């Protein structure tokens, strides 16, 4: 019996500003199948359509054509909030993933209710606190001793680590990471990536991670895809991915895109 894919994208097209002078055909027939637990890094130049692809999966807007199927369920028409129970989306900006004026424990309490009852005050029981401390300790940042600290007082890296933990508190079917370490300094970025790797592997999360860092794209994940002008121009896994180098990747990108200046846009 074959395994049901965690994600199937079938012929996804998206055009912004259709019929106007700003018409922009951003996604041009994306087909992608992810197996459960697969960790895929996504690269591509500015404006290639990476975030648009993720937004389409998360339900920010429907595709014009095509289907988004998660664990065998066609969710193409499902609204963003209904999907939030199943799909976690983490962004670049550390202030986006957490409620900065609430404490760490209030944020954790809200995250644990994601997709359930909305509008409730983030009350925290003592048994919840024990579980929260256990989860926070995984990060290795000492946040387990700061449950009542407002998130606004945390550093960018601490916030992103907390965001990641919150996004995965209720195990999502899909984890979407849109340059979630790009706003951090190199050392903090490496720390958050290490935490990402740990959570993704321990929870066996099906994950798409966009990055502009070629080395991170090579060193993390089981598979690497490259987008160029709204199409997947490269899809490598296994040995081929393990053997990738930054130079080799840039070379492949130039050949795949047929554009000799393209690698510059990839590196920006
Ligand atoms: N909501 C929107 N409305 C109109 N145009 C949009 C919208 N979102 C994205 N675009 C356009 O779609 C194109 C692709 O943008 P997208 O954000 O997907 O690129 P990207 O690959 O994520 O680039 P970057 O690496 O710079 O983040 C761009 O030309 C962008 O201006
Ligand atoms: Mg983007």
């Amino acid at each position: 019996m074959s395994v049901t894919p965690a994600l199937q994208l079938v012929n996804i097209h998206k055009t912004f500003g259709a019929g106007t002078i700003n018409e922009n055909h951003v996604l041009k027939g994306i087909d992608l199948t992810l197996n459960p637990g697969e960790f895929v890094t996504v690269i591509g130049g500015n404006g290639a359509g990476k975030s648009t692809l993720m937004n389409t999966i998360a339900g920010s807007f429907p595709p014009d054509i095509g289907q988004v199927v998660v664990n065998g369920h066609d969710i193409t028409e499902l609204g963003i909030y209904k999907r939030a129970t199943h799909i976690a989306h983490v962004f670049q900006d550390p202030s986006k993933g957490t409620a900065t004026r609430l404490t760490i424990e209030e944020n954790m309490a809200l995250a644990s209710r994601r997709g359930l009852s909305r509008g409730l005050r983030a009350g925290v029981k003592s048994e919840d606190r024990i579980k929260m401390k256990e989860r926070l300790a995984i990060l290795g940042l000492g946040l387990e001793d700061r449950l009542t600290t407002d998130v606004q007082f945390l550093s960018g890296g601490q916030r992103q680590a907390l965001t990641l933990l919150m996004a995965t508190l209720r195990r999502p079917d899909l984890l979407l990471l849109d340059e979630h370490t790009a706003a951090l300094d190199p050392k903090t970025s490496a720390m958050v990536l290490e935490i990402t790797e740990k959570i993704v592997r321990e929870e066996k999360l099906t994950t798409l991670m966009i990055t502009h860092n070629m080395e991170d794209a090579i060193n993390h994940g089981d598979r690497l895809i490259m987008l160029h002008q709204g199409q997947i121009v490269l899809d490598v896994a296994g040995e081929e991915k393990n053997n990738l180098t930054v130079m080799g990747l840039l070379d492949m990108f130039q050949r795949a895109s047929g554009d000799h200046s393209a690698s510059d846009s990839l590196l920006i």
Side-chain angles (χ1 to χ4, degrees):
M1 220 179 73
S2 62
V3 187
T4 305
L7 174 69
Q8 279 172 292
L9 299 178
V10 186
N11 192 32
I12 300 283
H13 282 265
K14 183 71 197 174
T15 299
F16 291 113
T20 72
I21 49 161
N22 294 321
E23 181 164 308
N24 191 359
H25 192 175
V26 177
L27 299 178
K28 299 173 184 160
I30 301 279
D31 290 305
L32 181 68
T33 300
L34 303 190
N35 287 320
E38 209 167 17
F39 180 4
V40 181
T41 53
V42 183
I43 59 170
N46 292 117
K50 304 179 297 297
S51 296
T52 303
L53 185 64
M54 240 175 218
N55 291 336
T56 309
I57 299 169
S60 307
F61 37 70
D64 302 324
I65 305 175
Q67 278 109 44
V68 179
V69 184
V70 173
N71 287 336
H73 301 287
D74 189 327
I75 60 159
T76 317
E77 300 299 326
L78 203 66
I80 186 166
Y81 294 109
K82 291 233 162 110
R83 288 186 207 198
T85 331
H86 309 285
I87 301 177
H89 199 177
V90 180
F91 301 91
Q92 180 172 335
D93 184 349
S95 65
K96 268 198 172 172
T98 44
T100 51
R101 285 170 186 276
L102 295 183
T103 63
I104 292 180
E105 65 176 24
E106 285 170 336
N107 269 278
M108 296 275 286
L110 285 175
S112 68
R113 295 189 201 135
R114 180 162 52 91
L116 299 176
S117 52
R118 294 200 147 251
L120 283 179
R121 185 95 189 101
V124 183
K125 300 196 202 91
S126 58
E127 65 253 40
D128 295 337
R129 261 187 208 111
I130 296 167
K131 277 194 210 129
M132 283 176 191
K133 284 191 175 206
E134 275 170 23
R135 297 300 291 259
L136 285 163
I138 296 171
L139 302 178
L141 300 173
L143 297 185
E144 63 275 18
D145 299 322
R146 301 176 66 186
L147 283 185
T148 53
T149 299
D150 274 11
V151 166
Q152 60 179 322
F153 299 121
L154 301 182
S155 70
Q158 289 170 335
R159 276 193 214 174
Q160 279 306 70
L162 179 63
T163 298
L164 204 58
L165 197 68
M166 285 167 53
T168 53
L169 208 54
R170 288 169 59 81
R171 191 177 183 281
D173 294 334
L174 276 182
L175 175 62
L176 306 176
L177 306 170
D178 192 344
E179 299 195 53
H180 72 307
T181 64
L184 307 174
D185 65 79
K187 201 168 151 232
T188 311
S189 164
M191 179 271 287
V192 172
L193 267 177
E194 211 173 290
I195 291 168
T196 306
E197 183 80 44
K198 193 171 171 186
I199 293 176
V200 167
R201 295 308 184 190
E202 276 176 11
E203 301 284 324
K204 297 187 173 60
L205 298 176
T206 310
T207 303
L208 279 172
M209 179 176 93
I210 299 175
T211 177
H212 272 271
N213 186 309
M214 298 294 111
E215 291 195 7
D216 289 344
I218 291 170
N219 294 335
H220 296 276
D222 319 302
R223 180 176 167 194
L224 179 150
I225 63 175
M226 185 187 283
L227 246 71
H228 181 60
Q229 295 178 354
Q231 292 182 313
I232 294 176
V233 292
L234 197 74
D235 187 344
V236 290
E239 270 302 283
E240 197 183 359
K241 176 171 183 296
N242 293 340
N243 294 331
L244 282 176
T245 60
V246 172
M247 288 312 287
L249 200 54
L250 293 176
D251 199 43
M252 283 163 129
F253 184 54
Q254 284 192 349
R255 271 184 279 137
S257 65
D259 179 354
H260 287 287
S261 60
S263 60
D264 295 343
S265 75
L266 198 62
L267 287 169
I268 290 168

